Amino acid sequence: GAVVSQHPSRVICKSGTSVKIECRSLDFQATTMFWYRQFPKQSLMLMATSNEGSKATYEQGVEKDKFLINHASLTLSTLTVTSAHPEDSSFYICSARDLRAFDIGNEQFFGPGTRLTVL
Amino acid sequence: KNQVEQSPQSLIILEGKNCTLQCNYTVSPFSNLRWYKQDTGRGPVSLTIMTFSENTKSNGRYTATLDADTKQSSLHITASQLSDSASYICVVSAGPGYALNFGKGTSLLVTP
């Protein structure tokens, strides 16, 4: 099956620093990748949709200057949390959609998530 | 507003017992409905996917049902195991170009 990886799996940083999270599709090409945020006991909240070679589309209320997204290739998207603050501490999950999505129900494959803790 | 409501919010069962989780949705248009299993600190993993014309779909001990008329789905887990302890999320898709609609999940704990 399709595999999506994230790196790092866990990161702790000081307030004011920037953190980069990578999302890779390992065995398929993804024209579209999605970034989600999940707080404890809550559902996944879509932050932004990342399309290869173009600017990301951000959901309402998500600061694009704070959460920088780059989708440089068909297998890699990065999320950079700039000037992180304790309230940015959360579980960040990416997903990727296969180029053949229309044949397999438009499915998104999720990464294992990155736990960010800002001190 | 498109919504996905899951019940119960949490559930505790004994190992070996069966359980059924519920999902009601108001998403329109409707393309497909998926059940995911999310272990603590991990990303969601797909269990089943059903389109409008499918009433039931099985994956091992997991059986999902869909009533597209009443916009209800259920996930039945048979002969539960300790490893079934996780959050089960119902996700409804309106189709390509639409964002996925996530339920808040049902937290299942299977005890010895």
Side-chain angles (χ1 to χ4, degrees), chain B residues 48-65:
Chain B
T48 63
I49 174 175
M50 288 180 292
T51 58
F52 184 88
S53 59
E54 296 176 294
N55 300 120
T56 185
K57 183 71 70 76
S58 290
N59 178 2
R61 294 180 296 103
Y62 301 104
T63 299
T65 65

Side-chain angles (χ1 to χ4, degrees), chain B residues 81-104:
Chain B
Q81 300 176 358
L82 298 179
S83 59
D84 291 333
S85 297
S87 179
Y88 291 84
I89 304 172
C90 175
V91 181
V92 181
S93 172
Y98 292 90
L100 295 179
N101 297 277
F102 290 82
K104 289 187 176 182

Side-chain angles (χ1 to χ4, degrees), chain A residues 60-82:
Chain A
Q60 191 174 8
V62 178
E63 299 175 58
K64 62 180 181 181
D65 294 330
K66 180 167 185 62
F67 299 99
L68 301 179
I69 292 173
N70 184 280
H71 193 160
S73 76
L74 286 173
T75 58
L76 173 64
S77 176
T78 60
L79 168 68
T80 301
V81 183
T82 62

